[in-house]
Amino acid sequence: IQRGDAIFHGQIANCSGCHGDQGNPDLVPEKYEYDEWTKEFTSRLSITPTDRDAVRPFRKAGALRPRQIYPRKLSLGVYRGGGDPESLYRRLVSGIPGTPMPGVLLSDQPSPTGLTSDQLWDLVHYVRALGGEEP
């Protein structure tokens, strides 16, 4: 759990950047990112998602309403895709499609750009501890 704490707050995983220091997101709502579908027709075309007049033609053409993505409050112990260790491991490797959460690059050796399988398991145990799970 201690090793996972360092990874959670470290530069490679940087989980705390969105999920907060102790698994409690502390970003103000204006700082939250939008889902990938919103980005596809707004920010990638230099349209602000909150500009209703600019978004209206896309909505009329069938685009979904712009939607902000809120980081999961990990301290609650409720995780997207399941809270068992294997599901968390898969979620960390794969990321969450359509959201700003990327997958972690797995590497055979410790590196400045990825995590080893053992380091990822350390992170899984730390995340579960944030939610009150016993190791």
Side-chain angles (χ1 to χ4, degrees):
I1 291 174
Q2 287 177 335
R3 292 187 306 259
D5 182 3
I7 294 166
F8 186 88
H9 294 91
Q11 288 184 328
I12 297 172
N14 190 25
C15 306
S16 62
C18 293
H19 294 285
D21 284 337
Q22 299 299 315
N24 295 307
D26 54 5
L27 295 173
V28 292
E30 294 80 34
K31 298 282 185 181
Y32 292 141
E33 290 194 40
Y34 286 84
D35 64 20
E36 292 300 317
W37 300 280
T38 299
K39 288 179 186 179
E40 197 168 298
F41 75 90
T42 58
S43 54
R44 291 186 183 143
L45 298 172
S46 300
I47 296 172
T48 305
T50 56
D51 183 348
R52 290 181 178 207
D53 292 332
V55 170
R56 188 171 289 120
F58 295 96
R59 294 275 293 130
K60 284 184 179 180
L64 298 174
R65 183 177 338 151
R67 191 177 84 151
Q68 284 182 301
I69 299 295
Y70 302 97
R72 183 71 59 167
K73 190 172 185 175
L74 300 175
S75 61
L76 294 177
V78 178
Y79 313 102
R80 171 179 255 156
D84 60 282
E86 293 80 10
S87 294
L88 288 173
Y89 185 95
R90 280 192 304 271
R91 182 65 60 216
L92 290 170
V93 170
S94 302
I96 301 176
T99 73
M101 184 170 161
V104 174
L105 177 66
L106 279 177
S107 60
D108 293 334
Q109 301 293 323
S111 78
T113 59
L115 299 175
T116 66
S117 182
D118 289 340
Q119 288 174 315
L120 197 54
W121 279 116
D122 293 339
L123 181 56
V124 166
H125 297 308
Y126 177 73
V127 167
R128 294 190 74 211
L130 286 174
E133 292 287 328
E134 291 293 324

